[in-house]
Amino acid sequence: MNIVVCTKQVPDSAATLKVDEQSNVSWGDAPLVINPWDEYAIEEAIRLKEKFGGKVTVLSVGPEQVKEALKQAVAMGCEEAVLIWDPAFDGSDALGITHILAQAIQKIGAVDLVLFGKQAIDGDSGLVPAGVARRLGWPLMSYVARIDELSAPQISVTRALEQGRQSVTSRLPAVITVVKEINEPRYPSFMNIRKASKLPIPVWDAAGTGVDVGKVGRANAAAQWIKVFAPPARTGNVELINGDSPQAIAAALADKLMADKVI
Ligand SMILES: Cc1cc2nc3c(=O)[nH]c(=O)nc-3n(C[C@H](O)[C@H](O)[C@H](O)COP(=O)(O)OP(=O)(O)OC[C@H]3O[C@@H](n4cnc5c(N)ncnc54)[C@H](O)[C@@H]3O)c2cc1C
């Protein structure tokens, strides 16, 4: 199995988003981490490799600092890592990112499966995996909670939907996004941390990946973020209900809701 997993470096979710009066978004000094949803994709990719053989390559589009996220993925068990970056990529929208990733996946060649987390916790669009699948012309299975069977050239998965579960069979190569129900990500092993610290991480630029610079970067972003702002603080009365026990508090709350005709 030739598996690719894509990851984005994001600010730690505990950090506070700062927005100034000109709508400039900043994460301040927030520590940067692997997008938490991607840890499940990385874990699943490694499990598939351990079961079926082959290798896992982790990819990320981003500046030099993103190498830290890639090293973390290698420390979990990915064999290879590639950073894809060129100053021309700066300010790309999701459409631009999908072009860059699809080009890199084609450059790797003979890829069987591409895994993603279901979304990034900062951009939150969930667009990238579908865009990559579309550009590659491969099927996409989103919200995968279990890989039931993998027997090339076929894969069967269970998707977690709000209404229930859906079993899907598809041909390979394919793209999947995973939900956290799929596994429990492992901690990096000491051996792999050492390996990651020594592994050279190549940087593929626009020319090296065949990226059309007319499709990426701020100037070519189809979607522009016009304004980013923190929601206004809530106003209104807040009444705290106290009581001697959870039962007494629940009873007082129920009385209050009935008196206000909420229930
Ligand atoms: C300051 C700032 C300004 C921005 N301005 C704009 C703008 O004007 N217009 C606009 O459309 N977008 C803008 N973006 C968003 C940015 O382009 C998105 O981060 C990008 O499009 C990816 O989308 P997403 O974060 O919603 O990822 P999702 O689609 O939610 O992520 C899904 C999966 O794709 C993976 N993935 C996402 N990005 C990458 C990557 N770079 N490398 C590898 N895997 C990846 C995730 O890790 C996850 O597994 C801005 C972002 C920032 C921080």
PDB file of all heavy atoms in Angstrom, residues 125-139:
ATOM      1  N   SER A 125     -13.223  24.683   7.003  1.00  0.00           N
ATOM      2  CA  SER A 125     -14.117  24.605   5.838  1.00  0.00           C
ATOM      3  C   SER A 125     -14.463  23.169   5.474  1.00  0.00           C
ATOM      4  O   SER A 125     -15.531  22.915   4.924  1.00  0.00           O
ATOM      5  CB  SER A 125     -13.472  25.294   4.627  1.00  0.00           C
ATOM      6  OG  SER A 125     -12.415  24.508   4.137  1.00  0.00           O
ATOM      7  N   GLY A 126     -13.564  22.226   5.749  1.00  0.00           N
ATOM      8  CA  GLY A 126     -13.784  20.838   5.346  1.00  0.00           C
ATOM      9  C   GLY A 126     -13.767  20.663   3.835  1.00  0.00           C
ATOM     10  O   GLY A 126     -14.212  19.649   3.308  1.00  0.00           O
ATOM     11  N   LEU A 127     -13.224  21.645   3.117  1.00  0.00           N
ATOM     12  CA  LEU A 127     -13.272  21.621   1.648  1.00  0.00           C
ATOM     13  C   LEU A 127     -12.105  20.877   1.009  1.00  0.00           C
ATOM     14  O   LEU A 127     -12.220  20.361  -0.103  1.00  0.00           O
ATOM     15  CB  LEU A 127     -13.233  23.060   1.114  1.00  0.00           C
ATOM     16  CG  LEU A 127     -14.475  23.919   1.290  1.00  0.00           C
ATOM     17  CD1 LEU A 127     -14.184  25.353   0.871  1.00  0.00           C
ATOM     18  CD2 LEU A 127     -15.594  23.357   0.435  1.00  0.00           C
ATOM     19  N   VAL A 128     -10.971  20.881   1.717  1.00  0.00           N
ATOM     20  CA  VAL A 128      -9.736  20.437   1.059  1.00  0.00           C
ATOM     21  C   VAL A 128      -9.796  18.987   0.557  1.00  0.00           C
ATOM     22  O   VAL A 128      -9.451  18.726  -0.597  1.00  0.00           O
ATOM     23  CB  VAL A 128      -8.519  20.706   1.979  1.00  0.00           C
ATOM     24  CG1 VAL A 128      -7.255  20.057   1.438  1.00  0.00           C
ATOM     25  CG2 VAL A 128      -8.319  22.218   2.136  1.00  0.00           C
ATOM     26  N   PRO A 129     -10.244  18.012   1.389  1.00  0.00           N
ATOM     27  CA  PRO A 129     -10.243  16.629   0.888  1.00  0.00           C
ATOM     28  C   PRO A 129     -11.107  16.451  -0.364  1.00  0.00           C
ATOM     29  O   PRO A 129     -10.703  15.763  -1.313  1.00  0.00           O
ATOM     30  CB  PRO A 129     -10.817  15.822   2.073  1.00  0.00           C
ATOM     31  CG  PRO A 129     -10.562  16.686   3.274  1.00  0.00           C
ATOM     32  CD  PRO A 129     -10.690  18.090   2.804  1.00  0.00           C
ATOM     33  N   ALA A 130     -12.298  17.065  -0.367  1.00  0.00           N
ATOM     34  CA  ALA A 130     -13.181  16.918  -1.530  1.00  0.00           C
ATOM     35  C   ALA A 130     -12.538  17.539  -2.763  1.00  0.00           C
ATOM     36  O   ALA A 130     -12.612  16.994  -3.866  1.00  0.00           O
ATOM     37  CB  ALA A 130     -14.532  17.583  -1.246  1.00  0.00           C
ATOM     38  N   GLY A 131     -11.873  18.676  -2.578  1.00  0.00           N
ATOM     39  CA  GLY A 131     -11.218  19.343  -3.710  1.00  0.00           C
ATOM     40  C   GLY A 131     -10.066  18.522  -4.269  1.00  0.00           C
ATOM     41  O   GLY A 131      -9.879  18.432  -5.484  1.00  0.00           O
ATOM     42  N   VAL A 132      -9.314  17.889  -3.358  1.00  0.00           N
ATOM     43  CA  VAL A 132      -8.184  17.052  -3.809  1.00  0.00           C
ATOM     44  C   VAL A 132      -8.728  15.852  -4.591  1.00  0.00           C
ATOM     45  O   VAL A 132      -8.219  15.504  -5.672  1.00  0.00           O
ATOM     46  CB  VAL A 132      -7.322  16.607  -2.600  1.00  0.00           C
ATOM     47  CG1 VAL A 132      -6.324  15.525  -3.007  1.00  0.00           C
ATOM     48  CG2 VAL A 132      -6.586  17.804  -1.999  1.00  0.00           C
ATOM     49  N   ALA A 133      -9.783  15.218  -4.049  1.00  0.00           N
ATOM     50  CA  ALA A 133     -10.375  14.059  -4.736  1.00  0.00           C
ATOM     51  C   ALA A 133     -10.868  14.466  -6.122  1.00  0.00           C
ATOM     52  O   ALA A 133     -10.656  13.756  -7.112  1.00  0.00           O
ATOM     53  CB  ALA A 133     -11.526  13.491  -3.901  1.00  0.00           C
ATOM     54  N   ARG A 134     -11.509  15.615  -6.190  1.00  0.00           N
ATOM     55  CA  ARG A 134     -12.055  16.100  -7.471  1.00  0.00           C
ATOM     56  C   ARG A 134     -10.936  16.329  -8.480  1.00  0.00           C
ATOM     57  O   ARG A 134     -11.052  15.941  -9.640  1.00  0.00           O
ATOM     58  CB  ARG A 134     -12.826  17.403  -7.202  1.00  0.00           C
ATOM     59  CG  ARG A 134     -13.343  18.096  -8.433  1.00  0.00           C
ATOM     60  CD  ARG A 134     -14.576  17.367  -8.983  1.00  0.00           C
ATOM     61  NE  ARG A 134     -15.106  18.052 -10.152  1.00  0.00           N
ATOM     62  CZ  ARG A 134     -14.692  17.839 -11.394  1.00  0.00           C
ATOM     63  NH1 ARG A 134     -13.743  16.962 -11.625  1.00  0.00           N
ATOM     64  NH2 ARG A 134     -15.236  18.493 -12.406  1.00  0.00           N
ATOM     65  N   ARG A 135      -9.863  16.948  -8.006  1.00  0.00           N
ATOM     66  CA  ARG A 135      -8.767  17.244  -8.938  1.00  0.00           C
ATOM     67  C   ARG A 135      -8.071  15.975  -9.410  1.00  0.00           C
ATOM     68  O   ARG A 135      -7.610  15.894 -10.542  1.00  0.00           O
ATOM     69  CB  ARG A 135      -7.751  18.176  -8.273  1.00  0.00           C
ATOM     70  CG  ARG A 135      -8.266  19.606  -8.110  1.00  0.00           C
ATOM     71  CD  ARG A 135      -7.144  20.513  -7.686  1.00  0.00           C
ATOM     72  NE  ARG A 135      -7.583  21.858  -7.387  1.00  0.00           N
ATOM     73  CZ  ARG A 135      -7.776  22.818  -8.290  1.00  0.00           C
ATOM     74  NH1 ARG A 135      -7.596  22.551  -9.576  1.00  0.00           N
ATOM     75  NH2 ARG A 135      -8.145  24.026  -7.913  1.00  0.00           N
ATOM     76  N   LEU A 136      -7.999  14.968  -8.508  1.00  0.00           N
ATOM     77  CA  LEU A 136      -7.349  13.705  -8.898  1.00  0.00           C
ATOM     78  C   LEU A 136      -8.292  12.831  -9.720  1.00  0.00           C
ATOM     79  O   LEU A 136      -7.851  11.884 -10.369  1.00  0.00           O
ATOM     80  CB  LEU A 136      -6.892  12.946  -7.645  1.00  0.00           C
ATOM     81  CG  LEU A 136      -5.749  13.587  -6.836  1.00  0.00           C
ATOM     82  CD1 LEU A 136      -5.587  12.872  -5.497  1.00  0.00           C
ATOM     83  CD2 LEU A 136      -4.439  13.557  -7.618  1.00  0.00           C
ATOM     84  N   GLY A 137      -9.596  13.122  -9.608  1.00  0.00           N
ATOM     85  CA  GLY A 137     -10.589  12.272 -10.291  1.00  0.00           C
ATOM     86  C   GLY A 137     -10.818  10.974  -9.537  1.00  0.00           C
ATOM     87  O   GLY A 137     -11.187   9.952 -10.130  1.00  0.00           O
ATOM     88  N   TRP A 138     -10.571  10.994  -8.204  1.00  0.00           N
ATOM     89  CA  TRP A 138     -10.726   9.797  -7.378  1.00  0.00           C
ATOM     90  C   TRP A 138     -11.986   9.922  -6.526  1.00  0.00           C
ATOM     91  O   TRP A 138     -12.405  11.029  -6.186  1.00  0.00           O
ATOM     92  CB  TRP A 138      -9.525   9.619  -6.448  1.00  0.00           C
ATOM     93  CG  TRP A 138      -8.217   9.397  -7.149  1.00  0.00           C
ATOM     94  CD1 TRP A 138      -8.020   9.246  -8.493  1.00  0.00           C
ATOM     95  CD2 TRP A 138      -6.930   9.321  -6.541  1.00  0.00           C
ATOM     96  NE1 TRP A 138      -6.678   9.077  -8.764  1.00  0.00           N
ATOM     97  CE2 TRP A 138      -5.982   9.113  -7.573  1.00  0.00           C
ATOM     98  CE3 TRP A 138      -6.467   9.391  -5.233  1.00  0.00           C
ATOM     99  CZ2 TRP A 138      -4.623   8.988  -7.332  1.00  0.00           C
ATOM    100  CZ3 TRP A 138      -5.116   9.268  -4.986  1.00  0.00           C
ATOM    101  CH2 TRP A 138      -4.199   9.063  -6.027  1.00  0.00           C
ATOM    102  N   PRO A 139     -12.558   8.755  -6.111  1.00  0.00           N
ATOM    103  CA  PRO A 139     -13.718   8.822  -5.217  1.00  0.00           C
ATOM    104  C   PRO A 139     -13.335   9.348  -3.839  1.00  0.00           C
ATOM    105  O   PRO A 139     -12.196   9.156  -3.394  1.00  0.00           O
ATOM    106  CB  PRO A 139     -14.191   7.367  -5.121  1.00  0.00           C
ATOM    107  CG  PRO A 139     -13.155   6.533  -5.748  1.00  0.00           C
ATOM    108  CD  PRO A 139     -12.193   7.390  -6.495  1.00  0.00           C
TER     109      PRO A 139
END
